Amino acid sequence: MIGSNEVEKHYFETYKQNHLTTNNEDSLILGDITDSIIKEKIINSKNKVDKVGLVIGGPPCQGFSMIGRAKKATLEERTKGFIDDPRNQLFKYYLKFAEKLSPKLVLIENVKGLASASGYRDLIEKSLTDTGKYGYDTSSHILNAKDFGLAQNRERIFFIGVRKDISEKYDISASEIFNEIIKEKKDP
């Protein structure tokens, strides 16, 4: 791991304890990705390696949460809530990091509610397809943690992007990666 970012201090401290071998200021970055100093620190973390293989992230999901949406009375209020919630725009910063770092693979995780959130699923897939010099072959799928041996019944949406030059060179697509993942599902 060359770098990690978290905005919540308590989560950050837990992460540091779980990753003691990378526990330094250059690798573990506390702060808001919309802050220019934090953005620069994250981009500069790339300087430790020649090429970035994978960028993994889960941009904030509270604005897409089914629980949060259920609190809104009408469809109009729920839709307006998606548009007005600034947390729902943070995936754009994440994609900017993918553009700058140009990893071979990109993985984005979020709440299942994003799949039905006013076109956000398509927007993220399209944006990832057009990200960076090469663009990415993209696919998304809803997976449940319990299907992979975890003790939680938690559905999440995952986006995979394979940089197009890598996809062509190795003849692999994001959809094929999901197909391989799904083969690993555990029987109930």
Side-chain angles (χ1 to χ4, degrees):
M1 180 180 67
I2 62 165
S4 175
N5 168 248
E6 176 57 60
V7 69
E8 294 291 336
K9 184 170 177 41
H10 296 294
Y11 299 157
F12 178 78
E13 293 300 327
T14 299
Y15 195 85
K16 278 173 52 175
Q17 289 303 309
N18 290 333
H19 296 86
L20 294 174
T21 58
T22 54
N23 191 357
N24 66 63
E25 195 173 307
D26 295 334
S27 295
L28 302 177
I29 303 161
L30 173 64
D32 187 335
I33 62 171
T34 64
D35 179 285
S36 60
I37 294 169
I38 299 302
K39 281 193 280 190
E40 187 156 333
K41 281 183 177 183
I42 294 168
I43 296 299
N44 288 340
S45 68
K46 178 187 177 187
N47 295 338
K48 296 178 214 162
V49 295
D50 292 332
K51 297 176 184 172
V52 176
L54 174 65
V55 170
I56 303 171
C61 58
Q62 297 94 331
F64 297 115
S65 169
M66 299 298 272
I67 293 169
R69 284 202 281 173
K71 292 178 184 175
K72 305 284 184 183
T74 67
L75 176 62
E76 181 180 335
E77 287 175 323
R78 289 191 297 270
T79 303
K80 185 174 179 346
F82 284 128
I83 295 165
D84 293 345
D85 193 327
R87 297 171 299 185
N88 293 351
Q89 303 304 312
L90 290 174
F91 77 89
K92 293 176 185 174
Y93 289 90
Y94 180 84
L95 292 175
K96 277 288 183 198
F97 290 119
E99 180 180 345
K100 297 266 188 204
L101 299 172
S102 192
K104 294 175 184 176
L105 296 167
V106 174
L107 176 64
I108 302 172
E109 170 273 338
N110 217 299
V111 295
K112 175 186 170 186
L114 187 140
S116 61
S118 302
Y120 273 92
R121 182 183 201 162
D122 293 338
L123 176 62
I124 291 172
E125 283 190 23
K126 172 77 172 103
S127 297
L128 189 53
T129 298
D130 297 335
T131 292
K133 177 180 173 184
Y134 302 100
Y136 289 82
D137 174 71
T138 65
S139 185
S140 63
H141 206 287
I142 295 171
L143 301 173
N144 193 323
K146 72 178 177 140
D147 295 333
F148 299 91
L150 297 172
Q152 290 187 32
N153 183 11
R154 180 178 287 244
E155 290 184 305
R156 307 295 273 184
I157 188 167
F158 290 86
F159 296 84
I160 292 177
V162 180
R163 205 172 65 202
K164 288 181 182 173
D165 63 320
I166 300 298
S167 178
E168 291 168 11
K169 180 177 179 179
Y170 295 102
D171 193 29
I172 185 79
S173 70
S175 294
E176 290 170 317
I177 293 171
F178 271 121
N179 289 339
E180 291 300 314
I181 291 168
I182 291 166
K183 286 180 189 177
E184 297 298 318
K185 284 175 111 174
K186 308 287 184 218
D187 291 329

